[in-house]
Amino acid sequence: MKFSKAIVKIPCENMVNGLTTANLGKPDYKLALKQHEKYIEALQHCGLDVTILPFDNNYPDSTFVEDTALLTPECAIITMPGDPTRRGETESIKEAVSKYYNNIEQVNLPMTVDAGDIMMIGKHFYIGLSDRTNIEGANQVINILNKYRMSGSTIDINNMLHLKSGVNYLENNIIAVTEELWDHNDLKDFDKIRVDNDEAYAANCLWLNGKVIVADGFPKIRNLIEKKGYEVITLCVSEFEKLDGGLSCLSLRF
Ligand code: CIR
């Protein structure tokens, strides 16, 4: 697997009104902008050509572009975010994605899908059933994937916003997985890196072309990932954590 491009969107000032369950206070907008800049630099350092979309104050959560589309090697699927306040975010993403994809599919209401719930492993996609992604939405995505000779399966999740809040694929059959999903039958054949509860936020780490970006301040998972032979880049994303957002949420990679 190799990623050559990414799409990100500058955080908007209105992000302070974004959706959250975190109880960490309001984000500091200026600091968020700085952290976002460093994030872009890290993607570039991993060899990605980054398209930077302008901020959109109409959508407080619009910097979390990952949720709005699933970009596969064969097609792009524009999602239908589960939270109604986020649905309009897909418009600018569809426009950006259409520069790179001819095959663009769409999830339609009443189906809902946040792509933060979808973990790509080669040509198979695990889809978390969450408060944002319903079974009908997951099935629509699986049907689309089948049409392009790819496959999908669902995973029930609890106590997490998205599937990728708790498990992420680091290539070479390796996953970083929280205690909550540790014993999940569907994940038993992977080489698992255990993310303890006190570092659960850092399970949302990002493999990019042989390097792994990890949230700053989580030494145990950092060491475990380094032991697998990966170069680790740490980034502070505290202002996005305040909105339940992690590293993967801030970009679309393809
Ligand atoms: C939300 O609740 O939708 C945003 N505040 C955070 C979205 C994070 N996205 C992700 O995990 N893929």
Side-chain angles (χ1 to χ4, degrees):
M1 181 81 212
K2 175 145 173 72
F3 292 109
S4 60
K5 297 184 181 63
I7 296 173
V8 301
K9 195 172 179 79
I10 304 283
C12 65
E13 216 162 345
N14 201 12
M15 75 179 286
V16 296
N17 298 314
L19 299 168
T20 186
T21 59
N23 273 324
L24 295 170
K26 295 240 183 231
D28 173 330
Y29 180 55
K30 288 210 169 106
L31 184 53
L33 285 177
K34 282 195 190 125
Q35 292 179 348
H36 196 258
E37 254 176 60
K38 296 269 176 227
Y39 180 80
I40 293 171
E41 282 169 24
L43 298 187
Q44 289 166 336
H45 178 70
C46 294
L48 276 66
D49 182 14
V50 184
T51 298
I52 305 170
L53 303 178
F55 67 82
D56 184 348
N57 246 334
N58 293 318
Y59 299 104
D61 287 293
S62 52
T63 193
F64 300 115
V65 289
E66 175 177 62
D67 296 318
T68 58
L70 178 68
L71 301 185
T72 81
E74 312 297 333
C75 67
I77 305 175
I78 306 300
T79 65
M80 179 58 66
D83 191 284
T85 64
R86 299 200 57 192
R87 294 195 180 139
E89 291 176 28
T90 56
E91 208 171 301
S92 65
I93 298 299
K94 187 173 182 179
E95 198 185 312
V97 161
S98 63
K99 296 203 174 89
Y100 303 103
Y101 280 88
N102 293 324
N103 298 327
I104 300 188
E105 306 280 347
Q106 174 83 53
V107 177
N108 299 307
L109 282 173
M111 284 71 109
T112 64
V113 173
D114 276 15
D117 275 317
I118 308 184
M119 177 171 69
M120 173 170 76
I121 300 196
K123 293 199 166 188
H124 187 78
F125 294 74
Y126 287 92
I127 308 177
L129 300 178
S130 67
D131 287 347
R132 302 287 178 88
T133 298
N134 59 28
I135 181 72
E136 294 81 8
N139 284 336
Q140 192 189 355
V141 170
I142 292 170
N143 285 336
I144 296 169
L145 292 169
N146 290 162
K147 190 170 123 185
Y148 293 93
R149 298 204 177 89
M150 298 179 286
S151 58
S153 56
T154 57
I155 291 196
D156 282 316
I157 60 166
N158 305 299
N159 308 321
M160 277 188 288
L161 177 61
H162 290 127
L163 177 66
K164 282 190 284 190
S165 313
V167 57
N168 283 271
Y169 188 51
L170 305 182
E171 297 295 319
N172 303 309
N173 203 43
I174 301 168
I175 54 173
V177 57
T178 53
E179 291 182 30
E180 169 158 354
L181 289 171
W182 183 256
D183 290 321
H184 201 292
N185 202 42
D186 292 359
L187 304 176
K188 68 177 186 323
D189 293 330
F190 290 102
D191 179 2
K192 295 187 283 187
I193 294 177
R194 189 181 179 94
V195 186
D196 291 343
N197 278 337
D198 61 339
E199 293 202 348
Y201 175 71
N204 186 259
C205 50
L206 192 54
W207 179 95
L208 287 174
N209 302 336
K211 301 178 175 41
V212 180
I213 308 180
V214 178
D216 204 12
F218 300 94
K220 289 188 284 184
I221 180 171
R222 182 198 169 132
N223 284 340
L224 291 171
I225 293 173
E226 280 174 345
K227 279 197 184 132
K228 296 287 179 194
Y230 292 128
E231 179 190 331
V232 171
I233 299 167
T234 54
L235 281 183
C236 182
V237 280
S238 58
E239 302 319 290
F240 303 100
E241 183 180 5
K242 290 175 181 171
L243 299 179
D244 299 328
L247 289 159
S248 73
C249 323
L250 291 170
S251 60
L252 287 162
R253 290 92 34 204
F254 56 109

